[in-house]
Amino acid sequence: MDDEPRETVPGALFERMWPEPATVTADDLAATYLEPGVRSNMVTSIDGSLTMDGRAGGLSDPVDQAHLHLARSAADVLLVGAGTVRTEGYGPVRTDEVGVARRRAAGQSDHPRLAVVSTSLDLDPSSAMLREAPERPLVLTVTGAEPEGVAALEEAAEVVLLPPGEGGGVHGRAVVDALRERGHTRILTEGGPTLLGALVAADALDEMLVSYAPVVAGGTGRRMVLGAPEATRGAELVSLLRSDSLLVARYRLR
């Protein structure tokens, strides 16, 4: 995914359809996403695929990208699984000049911090994503991780060892607690599905932002949450935004 800063779409960004009709600007959304909590942001086709040609970026359009960067620019930390950063090609996470000004007004650092979850530590310590990050990244892994891998990554990131959850992966609540201990109260995650599954299983996800791309993808793309035990988990629709045929729904988990 292209992580270079970009200017948001000027003027009206969305039409709000719920709870009451209104025009929603970039400033409106940026203020909304300053609310503390753990929030996910994912895009899906209308037939339920998370990817096109193997990447989430294949489903996104310029307005969805502007929305994604607004959500990022309000976050203290961007939480992502290692598989997602590899597949999407993440670079250093920065926000644009407008976002920096908003963040300074809110008492935040100039850019969100990147936190990557990896049990295998299959990350390149020399990657631009880590080496060129304006805020020192975090790598969250499990106790018992390969010491040589930990040592290599510590040159470019703060490595945090966490107790494993069921199945040996990181425990979703432990991840969130580690971020909050470092002062990060506005947590945005872009998945992937396994990380979202860990957060949902631990009741550690507060909200879900879901962009519905107006395409039918077909194929064998994965679903949004993987690994959480099957159960009915209620959610409340907080807002529904529209830009042409793109919909963005904000759900609060109960």
Side-chain angles (χ1 to χ4, degrees):
M1 179 175 291
D2 175 12
D3 294 292
E4 288 302 308
R6 65 186 66 201
E7 291 294 330
T8 53
V9 175
L13 186 60
F14 285 101
E15 172 193 355
R16 187 171 64 211
M17 303 174 67
W18 175 266
E20 64 275 336
T23 297
V24 177
T25 66
D27 286 337
D28 295 332
L29 281 178
T32 295
Y33 295 151
L34 280 173
E35 296 175 13
V38 183
R39 182 177 292 120
S40 67
N41 187 74
M42 303 285 278
V43 62
T44 177
S45 67
I46 58 176
D47 60 327
S49 176
L50 295 184
T51 58
M52 179 70 73
D53 296 325
R55 297 177 62 249
L59 293 172
S60 193
D61 67 11
V63 174
D64 180 57
Q65 284 289 308
H67 174 264
L68 178 149
H69 282 268
L70 277 170
R72 282 185 177 184
S73 71
D76 298 327
V77 62
L78 178 64
L79 175 65
V80 194
T84 296
V85 299
R86 288 191 295 266
T87 299
E88 302 292 336
Y90 275 56
V93 177
R94 305 185 184 97
T95 192
D96 59 31
E97 292 180 2
V98 175
V100 168
R102 290 194 192 103
R103 294 176 66 83
R104 289 177 178 175
Q108 295 172 289
S109 61
D110 284 359
H111 304 278
R113 194 175 188 185
L114 176 65
V116 182
V117 176
S118 176
T119 54
S120 68
L121 297 182
D122 183 16
L123 296 167
D124 180 3
S126 66
S127 67
M129 175 185 73
L130 299 180
R131 291 287 185 180
E132 298 178 16
E135 300 287 334
R136 184 169 173 82
L138 286 157
V139 174
L140 306 168
T141 190
V142 292
T143 53
E146 176 60 47
E148 293 179 357
V150 171
L153 285 167
E154 282 180 332
E155 297 179 8
E158 178 186 353
V159 180
V160 183
L161 303 180
L162 301 174
E166 292 186 18
V170 295
H171 192 284
R173 178 59 62 183
V175 167
V176 171
D177 287 347
L179 296 178
R180 286 179 171 156
E181 287 169 3
R182 287 158 177 79
H184 306 314
T185 61
R186 304 173 182 100
I187 301 169
L188 178 70
T189 179
E190 295 172 7
T194 301
L195 175 56
L196 287 192
L199 294 171
V200 169
D203 291 325
L205 187 64
D206 299 315
E207 291 188 355
M208 299 181 73
L209 301 175
V210 182
S211 294
Y212 295 96
V215 298
V216 176
T220 57
R222 294 191 295 173
R223 58 189 295 179
M224 199 168 293
V225 174
L226 291 177
E230 186 175 34
T232 299
R233 300 171 177 87
E236 173 191 4
L237 180 64
V238 177
S239 66
L240 182 64
L241 309 176
R242 181 181 73 86
S243 176
D244 293 329
S245 295
L246 172 74
L247 297 176
V248 179
R250 180 186 179 193
Y251 297 98
R252 183 168 294 131
L253 301 188
R254 292 173 176 161

